[in-house]
Amino acid sequence: MPEPKDKRKEKARFKKTERRRQILLELKLRPHVRINELAGRFNVSTETVRRDLDALSDDGLIARAHGGASAPAQGHYPGLDERANARIDERENIGRRAAELVRDGETLMIDSGSTTIEMARALAYRGTPCTVITNSIPVAMTLGHGAAQVLLCPGDYLAAESAVIGTETLEFLGRFNVDRCMIGSSGFSEEGLSETVRGFAAVKRMMLQRAASRHLLIDSEKFGRKGLAQVGDLSELQSIVVNTKPTGALLGALVAAGVEINAADETQKSNAAESVAS
């Protein structure tokens, strides 16, 4: 029998953030959740639950299914440790070039990734005084003992990436306006930047929204690749920081979108030429 109306009213109503956090927690305990069950548990309409599930799905945190949702299936993608031990020279060069863009006193958002960690190391080495907001624990640890002030996002811990994701992370980022964001991505093509790691696409989108200047740090190895979730179009970027300049269709698309290209190898050649001339 359905519960009397007065009984239903007695149930506590969950706020949006708490409902979505509870949904994610539930999917860690069982493979599938149903809309009707969640609506009853949270004392909200099925339409409200559908909106919650759609939002979590758009953020890459769940997989929508008929009548409910399930945890997203994960294909093989190398974890942070594996990526951090590959193409080290390329990522170090990108990191150094990106760190040169930061001015004293600026505010930054830096997302999680092997290349952004190299950028954090270069920024710490330079001793640039700045304020950094990040969802990456290694980035926070790298910058936390130097000239930078660090704000670490709250959220659900993603062990393979040493980072946090989820609705709490997004709401925290949404409270700030910053001078620059420095983000990476799993893929980069004429269609824009894309991401494979669960929950990262939403974090990157939020950082792009909150930053006045938006920079993508990307290894040329990822040119032409497409990750599972689309993050944004090329027009959302002010610049890309790369180890070597793109060519062909990707270069043409970047020029058409007005995206500045900061190539680390060209900077090194220019510095070498200046050194010889002097």
Side-chain angles (χ1 to χ4, degrees):
M1 287 180 63
E3 290 182 291
K5 287 185 179 179
D6 58 340
K7 282 286 187 184
R8 287 202 299 267
K9 287 179 182 177
E10 289 175 6
K11 288 184 177 179
R13 283 183 175 273
F14 288 79
K15 292 183 178 180
K16 178 174 67 177
T17 302
E18 181 62 18
R19 286 197 311 269
R20 295 178 183 179
R21 192 184 73 80
Q22 289 288 334
I23 290 168
L24 293 174
L25 178 61
E26 193 71 22
L27 284 172
K28 289 180 181 179
L29 303 175
R30 57 191 180 117
H32 185 79
V33 293
R34 299 194 63 79
I35 289 173
N36 289 338
E37 293 175 2
L38 294 172
R41 175 177 171 183
F42 299 142
N43 193 25
V44 295
S45 69
T46 55
E47 276 305 309
T48 296
V49 175
R50 283 193 182 91
R51 287 195 292 271
D52 287 338
L53 297 184
D54 287 342
L56 291 171
S57 177
D58 289 344
D59 292 345
L61 296 169
I62 66 170
R64 285 289 268 120
H66 180 67
S70 58
Q74 296 290 311
H76 174 71
Y77 183 73
L80 180 63
D81 288 344
E82 185 177 345
R83 302 197 308 274
N85 290 311
R87 296 178 64 81
I88 295 172
D89 289 344
E90 290 85 352
R91 287 185 296 98
E92 286 181 347
N93 291 337
I94 293 169
R96 280 194 293 269
R97 183 69 188 95
E100 291 171 0
L101 301 176
V102 182
R103 300 290 173 256
D104 288 1
E106 286 192 333
T107 52
L108 312 173
M109 287 183 179
I110 304 177
D111 84 326
S112 175
S114 56
T115 306
T116 52
I117 291 171
E118 293 300 335
M119 182 263 178
R121 287 177 179 151
L123 195 61
Y125 180 78
R126 292 172 66 87
T128 305
C130 57
T131 300
V132 173
I133 304 168
T134 184
N135 70 319
S136 165
I137 293 171
V139 166
M141 291 175 66
T142 299
L143 291 168
H145 298 289
Q149 178 183 357
V150 179
L151 283 72
L152 180 62
C153 297
D156 296 327
Y157 180 54
L158 198 60
E161 297 295 326
S162 294
V164 293
I165 58 170
T167 54
E168 288 179 292
T169 307
L170 300 178
E171 290 202 349
F172 183 81
L173 291 170
R175 299 174 194 166
F176 300 93
N177 298 305
V178 296
D179 296 311
R180 303 177 189 273
C181 72
M182 301 283 189
I183 65 172
S185 70
S186 301
F188 189 56
S189 70
E190 303 93 284
E191 295 179 14
L193 51 156
S194 51
E195 185 52 58
T196 299
V197 176
R198 178 176 67 90
F200 274 12
V203 171
K204 296 173 195 296
R205 286 190 212 111
M206 182 61 76
M207 289 185 173
L208 289 169
Q209 290 174 22
R210 307 311 302 181
S213 298
R214 300 165 298 279
H215 310 276
L216 175 69
L217 282 54
I218 192 81
D219 184 348
S220 60
E221 184 185 44
K222 297 177 181 177
F223 292 172
R225 289 186 184 176
K226 295 180 182 179
L228 178 64
Q230 189 71 10
V231 173
D233 300 328
L234 296 180
S235 60
E236 296 183 53
L237 299 172
Q238 178 184 352
S239 80
I240 61 169
V241 185
V242 294
N243 56 308
T244 188
K245 189 174 180 178
T247 58
L250 179 55
L251 176 59
L254 288 165
V255 171
V259 180
E260 181 183 347
I261 300 170
N262 292 292
D265 61 350
E266 292 184 358
T267 302
Q268 289 175 321
K269 290 175 185 176
S270 175
N271 292 341
E274 290 177 5
S275 178
V276 170
S278 62

